[in-house]
Amino acid sequence: MIRIILFGEPGAGKGTYSAELVKKYGIPQISTGDMLRAAVKEGVDLGKEAHEFMKNGELVPDPMVIEMVHNRIQQQDAAKGFILDGFPRTVTQAQSLDQMLHKMKIELSAVVKIEISKETIISRLSGRRVCTNCGATFNVLTMKPKKEGICDKCGHELIQRPDDQPETILNRLAVYQKDTEPLIEFYKKKGLLRPVQCEGPYNEALARVFGALEKVANV
Ligand code: AMP
């Protein structure tokens, strides 16, 4: 059983590593960003409200994401473990998560902190392209799709996320520094933080992510 938080700046590769961990451990990825984008696409009230924050690279208010995670984490598939990707992003969210887990009588296994340089982050975010249908991620610089603009997995169109535009990227990084970085200390104090150096070749970085979880995974 393993319950992980994947932590890191926007563009650090949380979504990509999550997909690998889903395959390895057979547990669901719970991505608040994906859930919010789905709500925006469906045009439901939550999506309309969230979109106003997301398009500027701001965080969506805590109560909205906390409720989403609260509902999601109690679903059947999450009973065998989960990967939280993009949540928590504020100390308030982390404290609410603690309360949820406490009530459910479960504990986190580890918080994997993906470490990469600012230059890599900016090139990843500006080169990132996502599939409009299945959400698969590519990069025009480092992880090109076989056919330009087309998803390898499902054949649908690839687009640039509106919040991956240069001005919004800078704002998202500033928001991370202000609101999300304090969580490093929060989880360090709990003895859960596992920093992983993810610069360099992808397969080597992935092996280090897996390695960081070897001792905590009991599967
Ligand atoms: P992501 O795909 O994780 O980069 O998230 C995209 C956007 O969704 C973020 O820039 C925020 O606007 C919003 N978002 C995702 N997760 C959270 C969260 N835990 N708290 C607040 N806003 C979030």
Side-chain angles (χ1 to χ4, degrees):
M1 171 71 70
I2 188 159
R3 301 185 193 96
I4 314 161
I5 292 177
L6 263 187
F7 187 83
E9 294 173 88
K14 296 188 293 292
T16 309
Y17 293 120
S18 288
E20 302 279 3
L21 293 167
V22 165
K23 268 193 267 168
K24 180 167 168 131
Y25 294 115
I27 53 178
Q29 169 199 17
I30 301 181
S31 157
T32 42
D34 285 351
M35 288 157 87
L36 289 166
R37 276 185 291 278
V40 172
K41 206 168 163 186
E42 284 163 22
V44 295
D45 286 348
L46 171 95
K48 285 185 195 144
E49 205 179 318
H51 183 61
E52 293 306 309
F53 298 93
M54 294 168 78
K55 69 176 188 212
N56 300 319
E58 298 293 336
L59 292 184
V60 169
D62 286 333
M64 286 169 69
V65 278
I66 289 168
E67 193 187 337
M68 265 175 23
V69 172
H70 183 253
N71 295 336
R72 179 66 187 88
I73 217 166
Q74 295 185 70
Q75 285 172 22
Q76 188 71 48
D77 62 340
K80 54 182 196 273
F82 51 77
I83 302 149
L84 283 171
D85 160 7
F87 180 94
R89 257 176 156 103
T90 63
V91 171
T92 304
Q93 292 179 18
Q95 287 166 339
S96 298
L97 177 66
D98 267 1
Q99 286 165 11
M100 283 179 222
L101 299 178
H102 184 73
K103 275 195 199 135
M104 292 167 76
K105 297 191 170 57
I106 57 178
E107 284 182 359
L108 286 171
S109 313
V111 177
V112 174
K113 177 170 177 281
I114 301 170
E115 302 199 326
I116 56 168
S117 68
K118 273 273 182 309
E119 294 73 41
T120 306
I121 285 176
I122 291 175
S123 93
R124 286 213 190 140
L125 288 176
S126 50
R128 175 157 71 179
R129 299 293 181 271
V130 293
C131 175
T132 47
N133 178 52
C134 74
T137 305
F138 300 85
N139 191 296
V140 291
L141 306 167
T142 53
M143 220 195 277
K144 289 184 186 170
K146 290 193 187 90
K147 199 167 158 207
E148 197 186 319
I150 302 293
C151 177
D152 287 358
K153 296 192 176 138
C154 73
H156 282 73
E157 188 197 2
L158 299 177
I159 56 154
Q160 182 168 37
R161 274 171 44 175
D163 58 350
D164 282 345
Q165 307 293 334
E167 319 77 59
T168 318
I169 289 177
L170 292 179
N171 192 38
R172 287 165 68 203
L173 293 175
V175 167
Y176 171 87
Q177 213 169 18
K178 177 171 157 286
D179 294 326
T180 309
E181 252 176 22
L183 291 182
I184 297 172
E185 209 42 47
F186 183 93
Y187 286 116
K188 205 188 256 177
K189 277 195 191 134
K190 288 179 181 289
L192 287 170
L193 201 71
R194 304 277 180 281
V196 181
Q197 186 48 252
C198 287
E199 204 69 51
Y202 174 71
N203 283 336
E204 292 173 21
L206 179 63
R208 288 193 290 273
V209 170
F210 285 160
L213 291 170
E214 247 159 40
K215 290 185 201 77
V216 292
N218 179 20
V219 285

